[in-house]
Amino acid sequence: MSRTMFRFADRVVSVTGDDGLLAAAADLLAPYVRRTATADGATLVASLEFENTTRSEHGEAVIIKAFQQVRSALLDAVLRDHAPLHGAVVTYDGTGIVLTGPKGAGKTSFVSALLRCSPEWEFVTNDKSVVSPHDGSVFGLPFAVAVGHVGRAMAPELADLPARPSVGKDLFWPADFARAFGSRPASATPLHGVVLCEADFAASRIEVLTDVDQDERRTVLERDMTDFGDAMIPQRLRTGRTRDAEPPSLPAEWSVMPWVRLRGNPWTMTRDTMSAVRTAVDFQKVV
Protein backbone atom coordinates (compact mmCIF):
# COMPACT_ATOMS: atom_id res chain seq x y z
CA MET A 1 0.00 0.00 0.00
CA SER A 2 1.21 3.52 -0.76
CA ARG A 3 -0.10 7.08 -0.47
CA THR A 4 -0.18 9.63 -3.26
CA MET A 5 -1.90 12.87 -4.28
CA PHE A 6 -4.05 13.50 -7.34
CA ARG A 7 -4.25 17.17 -8.35
CA PHE A 8 -6.77 19.00 -10.54
CA ALA A 9 -6.55 22.80 -10.83
CA ASP A 10 -5.90 23.94 -7.23
CA ARG A 11 -7.49 20.93 -5.51
CA VAL A 12 -5.92 17.64 -4.42
CA VAL A 13 -7.22 14.30 -3.20
CA SER A 14 -5.05 12.10 -0.98
CA VAL A 15 -5.33 8.43 -1.97
CA THR A 16 -3.99 5.28 -0.31
CA GLY A 17 -3.94 1.99 -2.20
CA ASP A 18 -2.02 -0.60 -4.17
CA ASP A 19 0.74 0.87 -6.37
CA GLY A 20 -0.53 -0.85 -9.49
CA LEU A 21 -4.10 0.33 -8.90
CA LEU A 22 -3.03 3.93 -8.34
CA ALA A 23 -0.84 3.88 -11.45
CA ALA A 24 -3.71 2.53 -13.55
CA ALA A 25 -6.12 5.16 -12.20
CA ALA A 26 -3.52 7.85 -12.94
CA ASP A 27 -3.33 6.68 -16.56
CA LEU A 28 -7.09 7.17 -16.94
CA LEU A 29 -7.06 10.59 -15.27
CA ALA A 30 -4.17 11.93 -17.39
CA PRO A 31 -3.54 14.52 -18.70
CA TYR A 32 -6.22 16.40 -16.76
CA VAL A 33 -5.39 15.14 -13.27
CA ARG A 34 -1.75 14.68 -12.35
CA ARG A 35 -0.22 12.49 -9.71
CA THR A 36 2.02 14.32 -7.25
CA ALA A 37 3.89 13.51 -4.05
CA THR A 38 2.69 16.57 -2.12
CA ALA A 39 -0.19 19.03 -2.08
CA ASP A 40 2.24 21.77 -3.18
CA GLY A 41 0.03 24.68 -2.09
CA ALA A 42 -3.24 23.16 -3.33
CA THR A 43 -6.29 22.59 -1.11
CA LEU A 44 -6.81 19.05 0.19
CA VAL A 45 -10.48 18.19 -0.41
CA ALA A 46 -10.72 14.48 0.41
CA SER A 47 -8.83 11.40 1.57
CA LEU A 48 -9.64 8.07 -0.03
CA GLU A 49 -8.46 4.56 0.75
CA PHE A 50 -8.78 1.63 -1.62
CA GLU A 51 -8.58 -2.03 -0.71
CA ASN A 52 -5.30 -3.83 -1.22
CA THR A 53 -6.25 -5.29 -4.58
CA THR A 54 -4.44 -5.71 -7.87
CA ARG A 55 -5.40 -5.48 -11.51
CA SER A 56 -5.03 -9.23 -11.98
CA GLU A 57 -7.40 -9.96 -9.10
CA HIS A 58 -10.29 -7.76 -10.17
CA GLY A 59 -9.66 -6.73 -13.76
CA GLU A 60 -10.80 -3.36 -15.07
CA ALA A 61 -13.75 -2.91 -12.71
CA VAL A 62 -11.71 -1.94 -9.66
CA ILE A 63 -9.58 0.47 -11.73
CA ILE A 64 -12.65 2.20 -13.16
CA LYS A 65 -14.16 2.47 -9.67
CA ALA A 66 -10.99 4.04 -8.26
CA PHE A 67 -10.79 6.45 -11.21
CA GLN A 68 -14.44 7.50 -10.77
CA GLN A 69 -14.07 8.06 -7.03
CA VAL A 70 -11.01 10.28 -7.45
CA ARG A 71 -12.68 12.20 -10.29
CA SER A 72 -15.90 12.68 -8.33
CA ALA A 73 -14.10 13.95 -5.23
CA LEU A 74 -12.09 16.48 -7.24
CA LEU A 75 -14.97 17.72 -9.37
CA ASP A 76 -17.30 17.94 -6.40
CA ALA A 77 -14.88 20.48 -4.89
CA VAL A 78 -13.90 22.31 -8.09
CA LEU A 79 -17.48 22.90 -9.25
CA ARG A 80 -18.23 24.94 -6.14
CA ASP A 81 -16.31 27.93 -7.50
CA HIS A 82 -15.25 27.06 -11.08
CA ALA A 83 -17.76 27.91 -13.81
CA PRO A 84 -18.86 25.00 -16.03
CA LEU A 85 -18.17 25.42 -19.75
CA HIS A 86 -19.97 23.49 -22.48
CA GLY A 87 -17.94 23.40 -25.68
CA ALA A 88 -15.00 21.77 -27.44
CA VAL A 89 -11.68 23.41 -26.53
CA VAL A 90 -8.43 23.31 -28.52
CA THR A 91 -5.22 25.30 -28.15
CA TYR A 92 -2.24 26.23 -30.29
CA ASP A 93 0.80 28.27 -29.34
CA GLY A 94 -0.92 29.70 -26.27
CA THR A 95 -4.12 30.53 -28.15
CA GLY A 96 -7.14 28.60 -26.90
CA ILE A 97 -10.53 28.67 -28.59
CA VAL A 98 -13.84 27.11 -27.62
CA LEU A 99 -16.18 25.70 -30.27
CA THR A 100 -19.72 26.00 -28.97
CA GLY A 101 -23.35 25.93 -30.00
CA PRO A 102 -26.63 24.22 -29.10
CA LYS A 103 -27.20 20.47 -29.34
CA GLY A 104 -26.83 19.39 -32.96
CA ALA A 105 -24.58 22.33 -33.91
CA GLY A 106 -21.85 19.91 -34.97
CA LYS A 107 -19.25 20.68 -32.31
CA THR A 108 -17.72 17.20 -32.32
CA SER A 109 -17.65 17.07 -36.12
CA PHE A 110 -16.04 20.51 -36.30
CA VAL A 111 -13.35 19.67 -33.73
CA SER A 112 -12.67 16.31 -35.42
CA ALA A 113 -12.27 18.01 -38.80
CA LEU A 114 -10.11 20.72 -37.22
CA LEU A 115 -7.69 18.17 -35.73
CA ARG A 116 -7.60 16.27 -39.02
CA CYS A 117 -6.48 19.24 -41.09
CA SER A 118 -4.50 21.06 -38.37
CA PRO A 119 -3.06 18.46 -35.96
CA GLU A 120 -0.69 21.07 -34.53
CA TRP A 121 -3.69 22.22 -32.47
CA GLU A 122 -3.80 20.38 -29.13
CA PHE A 123 -7.05 18.84 -27.96
CA VAL A 124 -8.26 19.89 -24.50
CA THR A 125 -11.85 18.65 -24.34
CA ASN A 126 -14.84 17.74 -26.48
CA ASP A 127 -17.58 19.38 -24.42
CA LYS A 128 -16.83 19.39 -20.69
CA SER A 129 -14.50 21.82 -18.89
CA VAL A 130 -14.39 24.31 -16.05
CA VAL A 131 -13.14 27.88 -15.87
CA SER A 132 -10.82 29.10 -13.13
CA PRO A 133 -12.22 31.96 -11.03
CA HIS A 134 -8.66 33.27 -10.63
CA ASP A 135 -7.37 33.82 -14.16
CA GLY A 136 -10.04 32.47 -16.53
CA SER A 137 -7.99 29.42 -17.59
CA VAL A 138 -10.01 26.54 -18.99
CA PHE A 139 -9.39 23.08 -17.49
CA GLY A 140 -10.54 20.03 -19.44
CA LEU A 141 -12.42 17.35 -17.51
CA PRO A 142 -11.61 13.63 -17.65
CA PHE A 143 -14.76 12.47 -19.45
CA ALA A 144 -14.99 10.35 -22.58
CA VAL A 145 -15.52 11.88 -26.03
CA ALA A 146 -18.94 10.85 -27.37
CA VAL A 147 -19.04 10.51 -31.16
CA GLY A 148 -22.21 9.69 -33.08
CA HIS A 149 -22.17 6.74 -35.46
CA VAL A 150 -22.50 9.05 -38.48
CA GLY A 151 -19.64 11.22 -37.24
CA ARG A 152 -17.45 8.16 -36.71
CA ALA A 153 -18.19 6.98 -40.24
CA MET A 154 -16.98 10.35 -41.55
CA ALA A 155 -13.72 10.06 -39.61
CA PRO A 156 -11.69 7.04 -40.78
CA GLU A 157 -9.10 7.96 -38.15
CA LEU A 158 -11.51 6.56 -35.56
CA ALA A 159 -12.34 3.34 -37.42
CA ASP A 160 -9.94 1.10 -35.52
CA LEU A 161 -9.86 3.05 -32.28
CA PRO A 162 -11.19 1.10 -29.26
CA ALA A 163 -14.50 2.51 -28.08
CA ARG A 164 -17.16 1.81 -25.51
CA PRO A 165 -20.63 1.74 -27.11
CA SER A 166 -23.33 4.00 -25.71
CA VAL A 167 -26.84 4.92 -26.86
CA GLY A 168 -26.39 6.03 -30.47
CA LYS A 169 -22.76 6.94 -29.87
CA ASP A 170 -19.30 5.54 -29.28
CA LEU A 171 -17.17 6.71 -26.35
CA PHE A 172 -13.43 7.36 -26.78
CA TRP A 173 -10.88 8.35 -24.20
CA PRO A 174 -9.68 11.95 -24.88
CA ALA A 175 -5.98 11.11 -25.24
CA ASP A 176 -6.77 8.30 -27.70
CA PHE A 177 -9.14 10.58 -29.63
CA ALA A 178 -6.49 13.29 -29.99
CA ARG A 179 -3.71 10.93 -31.04
CA ALA A 180 -5.94 9.28 -33.65
CA PHE A 181 -5.81 12.59 -35.56
CA GLY A 182 -2.08 13.05 -35.00
CA SER A 183 -2.72 15.67 -32.33
CA ARG A 184 -1.78 15.73 -28.65
CA PRO A 185 -3.95 16.04 -25.54
CA ALA A 186 -3.59 19.12 -23.34
CA SER A 187 -4.97 19.62 -19.85
CA ALA A 188 -5.67 23.37 -19.83
CA THR A 189 -5.37 26.61 -21.77
CA PRO A 190 -6.11 30.33 -21.52
CA LEU A 191 -9.02 31.23 -23.79
CA HIS A 192 -8.67 33.83 -26.55
CA GLY A 193 -11.68 33.28 -28.79
CA VAL A 194 -15.14 31.76 -29.21
CA VAL A 195 -16.22 29.89 -32.35
CA LEU A 196 -19.95 29.43 -32.95
CA CYS A 197 -20.65 26.19 -34.81
CA GLU A 198 -23.49 26.01 -37.34
CA ALA A 199 -23.22 22.69 -39.14
CA ASP A 200 -24.87 22.24 -42.54
CA PHE A 201 -23.79 18.83 -43.77
CA ALA A 202 -25.31 19.46 -47.20
CA ALA A 203 -23.08 22.48 -47.80
CA SER A 204 -20.01 22.30 -50.01
CA ARG A 205 -17.81 24.60 -47.93
CA ILE A 206 -17.42 26.49 -44.64
CA GLU A 207 -17.91 30.22 -44.20
CA VAL A 208 -15.82 32.03 -41.59
CA LEU A 209 -17.89 34.99 -40.40
CA THR A 210 -17.38 37.69 -37.77
CA ASP A 211 -20.99 38.89 -37.57
CA VAL A 212 -21.66 37.91 -33.94
CA ASP A 213 -23.23 40.91 -32.20
CA GLN A 214 -23.37 41.53 -28.46
CA ASP A 215 -26.95 40.32 -28.05
CA GLU A 216 -26.12 36.95 -29.58
CA ARG A 217 -22.95 36.71 -27.52
CA ARG A 218 -24.88 37.25 -24.29
CA THR A 219 -27.42 34.61 -25.28
CA VAL A 220 -24.74 32.05 -26.07
CA LEU A 221 -22.82 32.80 -22.87
CA GLU A 222 -25.94 32.46 -20.74
CA ARG A 223 -27.43 29.42 -22.51
CA ASP A 224 -25.31 27.27 -24.84
CA MET A 225 -21.97 27.70 -23.08
CA THR A 226 -23.39 27.02 -19.61
CA ASP A 227 -25.65 24.08 -20.55
CA PHE A 228 -23.88 21.77 -18.14
CA GLY A 229 -26.83 19.84 -16.73
CA ASP A 230 -27.23 16.58 -14.87
CA ALA A 231 -26.63 14.57 -18.04
CA MET A 232 -23.04 15.83 -17.99
CA ILE A 233 -22.42 16.34 -14.28
CA PRO A 234 -24.52 13.94 -12.21
CA GLN A 235 -26.29 15.12 -9.06
CA ARG A 236 -23.72 13.34 -6.88
CA LEU A 237 -21.10 15.85 -8.05
CA ARG A 238 -23.20 18.82 -6.91
CA THR A 239 -22.52 18.52 -3.18
CA GLY A 240 -22.63 21.93 -1.55
CA ARG A 241 -25.25 23.32 -3.94
CA THR A 242 -28.94 22.61 -4.17
CA ARG A 243 -30.22 21.17 -7.41
CA ASP A 244 -31.59 24.56 -8.46
CA ALA A 245 -28.62 26.64 -7.31
CA GLU A 246 -26.98 28.76 -9.98
CA PRO A 247 -23.43 27.68 -10.91
CA PRO A 248 -20.66 30.27 -11.07
CA SER A 249 -20.93 32.51 -14.13
CA LEU A 250 -18.53 32.56 -17.04
CA PRO A 251 -16.17 35.58 -17.12
CA ALA A 252 -17.99 38.73 -18.25
CA GLU A 253 -15.00 39.77 -20.37
CA TRP A 254 -15.61 36.81 -22.67
CA SER A 255 -18.36 38.83 -24.35
CA VAL A 256 -15.74 41.22 -25.75
CA MET A 257 -13.10 38.68 -26.78
CA PRO A 258 -12.91 37.64 -30.47
CA TRP A 259 -15.94 35.68 -31.75
CA VAL A 260 -16.10 33.82 -35.07
CA ARG A 261 -18.92 31.90 -36.72
CA LEU A 262 -18.27 28.69 -38.69
CA ARG A 263 -21.20 27.92 -40.96
CA GLY A 264 -21.22 24.95 -43.33
CA ASN A 265 -20.08 21.36 -43.66
CA PRO A 266 -17.43 20.52 -41.01
CA TRP A 267 -15.93 17.81 -43.23
CA THR A 268 -14.97 20.36 -45.88
CA MET A 269 -12.61 22.10 -43.44
CA THR A 270 -9.12 22.83 -44.74
CA ARG A 271 -5.97 24.38 -43.34
CA ASP A 272 -7.06 27.60 -45.05
CA THR A 273 -10.25 27.52 -42.97
CA MET A 274 -8.28 27.35 -39.74
CA SER A 275 -5.90 30.05 -40.99
CA ALA A 276 -8.93 32.27 -41.54
CA VAL A 277 -10.16 31.53 -38.01
CA ARG A 278 -6.78 32.38 -36.51
CA THR A 279 -6.53 35.55 -38.60
CA ALA A 280 -10.01 36.63 -37.44
CA VAL A 281 -9.16 35.93 -33.80
CA ASP A 282 -5.78 37.68 -33.97
CA PHE A 283 -7.21 40.67 -35.86
CA GLN A 284 -9.98 41.17 -33.30
CA LYS A 285 -7.46 40.86 -30.46
CA VAL A 286 -5.48 43.75 -31.97
CA VAL A 287 -8.55 45.86 -32.71
Side-chain angles (χ1 to χ4, degrees):
M1 298 282 282
S2 63
R3 179 175 174 272
T4 191
M5 300 277 189
F6 286 100
R7 176 168 182 159
F8 178 79
D10 57 355
R11 307 295 202 278
V12 294
V13 169
S14 174
V15 183
T16 302
D18 175 80
D19 284 337
L21 174 61
L22 296 180
D27 286 343
L28 290 179
L29 290 161
Y32 307 107
V33 179
R34 65 182 176 88
R35 192 176 179 183
T36 180
T38 64
D40 193 26
T43 302
L44 179 65
V45 298
S47 295
L48 305 175
E49 183 171 342
F50 300 124
E51 297 178 5
N52 188 14
T53 57
T54 64
R55 188 186 189 112
S56 60
E57 289 173 337
H58 292 277
E60 298 294 324
V62 68
I63 299 172
I64 295 296
K65 182 178 179 181
F67 153 74
Q68 291 176 334
Q69 287 183 311
V70 173
R71 180 180 69 179
S72 294
L74 286 168
L75 297 190
D76 178 44
V78 167
L79 285 170
R80 296 173 192 241
D81 60 358
H82 287 58
L85 173 62
H86 180 207
V89 179
V90 292
T91 184
Y92 173 65
D93 195 23
T95 298
I97 60 173
V98 56
L99 292 84
T100 190
K103 182 179 176 62
K107 294 183 293 295
T108 302
S109 293
F110 272 112
V111 78
S112 298
L114 182 158
L115 295 176
R116 170 190 286 175
C117 69
S118 301
E120 64 273 14
W121 285 79
E122 295 180 332
F123 176 76
V124 179
T125 183
N126 185 51
D127 62 1
K128 304 174 183 67
S129 55
V130 294
V131 182
S132 168
H134 308 301
D135 60 8
S137 294
V138 177
F139 293 88
L141 298 181
F143 285 90
V145 178
V147 180
H149 295 161
V150 174
R152 186 176 187 181
M154 295 296 294
E157 295 89 347
L158 302 177
D160 299 322
L161 196 66
R164 177 175 295 182
S166 184
V167 180
K169 295 189 175 184
D170 291 318
L171 304 180
F172 301 94
W173 202 239
D176 295 336
F177 178 83
R179 293 181 184 119
F181 292 98
S183 178
R184 296 187 301 173
S187 61
T189 182
L191 198 70
H192 293 90
V194 178
V195 176
L196 295 186
C197 297
E198 296 181 6
D200 177 0
F201 292 98
S204 59
R205 64 189 183 95
I206 297 176
E207 294 179 280
V208 180
L209 308 171
T210 57
D211 60 345
V212 188
D213 61 31
Q214 284 297 319
D215 287 340
E216 185 174 10
R217 295 182 185 204
R218 282 192 292 269
T219 299
V220 173
L221 281 169
E222 294 171 3
R223 183 191 64 193
D224 299 330
M225 291 175 69
T226 56
D227 182 16
F228 212 56
D230 288 348
M232 292 184 183
I233 294 297
Q235 178 65 22
R236 70 175 184 276
L237 299 182
R238 292 172 174 258
T239 302
R241 298 205 306 264
T242 64
R243 186 182 185 88
D244 297 324
E246 289 295 322
S249 299
L250 294 171
E253 56 268 26
W254 283 13
S255 66
V256 295
M257 69 167 51
W259 286 59
V260 176
R261 189 191 313 276
L262 289 184
R263 176 184 293 156
N265 187 341
W267 302 110
T268 65
M269 186 177 293
T270 65
R271 293 187 67 87
D272 287 343
T273 307
M274 285 313 301
S275 293
V277 170
R278 290 202 67 194
T279 298
V281 169
D282 290 341
F283 173 75
Q284 292 181 64
K285 282 165 63 177
V286 171
V287 171

